[in-house]
Structures are given as C-alpha cells and as structure tokens.
Amino acid sequence: MLYETSIKTIVVDKNGNDKTLVSRYIIENAELFGEAESKLYEEFGNMAGFEVTSIKISKLKEIINEAPPGDECKIYFATIVDRFYDADKDETTETQYVVALHAHDINEAHKAIDQYMKQGMEDMELVGLKCTKYLEVL
C-alpha cells in the first residue's frame, strides 16, 4: 500500500535562526499506518524538532519507475483515463486513476508516461501531468 506523508523538522537558516521545514514523502510497501510512521522515524527521527504531521492512504495506483540512484529527480503525478468497451451492454466505461513517476523535467515525465501507456490498451488517455512537492519515495 502507498501512503502520502508530511513531516516537520527544524533547520537553521543562513542567519542562524531556527526555521520550521515541512517535507512530503511517499511511503511504499507499508500495510499499516504504524509501518508508514515507523519508516519516517527510522529515516528522520534524529532530526531536530521532528514531527509527523500527516499520514494518509494514497490514491495512487502505482509508482511506475524507480528514481536513478544519486540523481536529483522530481516526482510527478499523471492522471490517466482508461476506456473499456463492453460489447454485451454496447457501452463504454471510463476509469480514471493516478500514477507516480520520477523524472528530471516535464518533458522526461511525458516520455515516461507515454511509454507506460503503450503497455496497456489503446484506449488510454493522459489527462493531467503535474510536478509534486514530494521529495522522495521511502
């Protein structure tokens, strides 16, 4: 299961003042809220002022690619509409879902999602692609 989370930490700015920083992360491979929270504590628990501010079950269907190791990528969300024709009922139904992907820029994200959609049926349509504020998948 995927979770979307936010944490707060305290960092020191260039003037030496404490500043509260809010960071967002996606947690994968956690079955329970407690597991997602544990991953956050393992990763960031030793940081000053650490606090978990939100954990919610994500509506993401999947994360379609891995971030390259040691490379600064952004996380994008792509909204896809999948259309299915039911010959018995002579009607078309639509299913809309969101997937996440790693890319350096919007052009690379668009190429990756096009490649992903080629693996499915021809009735898939990209209806939205946006860069998110999520920093990393844990």
Side-chain angles (χ1 to χ4, degrees):
M1 187 172 297
L2 297 168
Y3 291 89
E4 296 178 31
T5 65
S6 295
I7 64 168
K8 283 185 185 177
T9 54
I10 296 174
V11 295
V12 179
D13 66 12
K14 62 183 177 181
N15 298 325
N17 300 319
D18 287 347
K19 180 179 175 181
T20 300
L21 178 67
V22 176
S23 304
R24 296 179 181 176
Y25 297 91
I26 297 173
I27 307 292
E28 65 179 345
N29 300 325
E31 293 301 317
L32 304 169
F33 283 90
E35 289 178 42
E37 187 175 22
S38 290
K39 282 189 177 188
L40 292 171
Y41 273 94
E42 288 171 18
E43 193 74 25
F44 307 106
N46 62 346
M47 297 178 77
F50 172 77
E51 178 184 350
V52 176
T53 57
S54 76
I55 298 176
K56 68 178 184 176
I57 296 173
S58 179
K59 293 182 180 180
L60 291 170
K61 179 180 177 184
E62 66 180 315
I63 301 170
I64 67 169
N65 63 0
E66 298 277 328
D71 210 355
E72 287 290 322
C73 280
K74 298 174 184 167
I75 297 175
Y76 290 82
F77 283 1
T79 304
I80 298 171
V81 171
D82 211 345
R83 292 182 181 84
F84 299 97
Y85 177 71
D86 185 343
D88 294 336
K89 295 181 181 178
D90 192 32
E91 65 184 30
T92 301
T93 58
E94 291 185 351
T95 303
Q96 183 171 309
Y97 56 92
V98 179
V99 296
L101 62 136
H102 296 89
H104 293 97
D105 58 38
I106 193 77
N107 292 328
E108 185 179 312
H110 204 281
K111 287 178 188 174
I113 199 65
D114 282 345
Q115 191 70 22
Y116 171 79
M117 291 188 331
K118 285 180 184 176
Q119 297 173 20
M121 301 296 223
E122 293 180 17
D123 296 336
M124 296 172 83
E125 178 185 359
L126 178 65
V127 294
L129 182 61
K130 68 177 183 175
C131 185
T132 69
K133 294 182 179 182
Y134 290 95
L135 299 178
E136 190 177 349
V137 176
L138 304 173

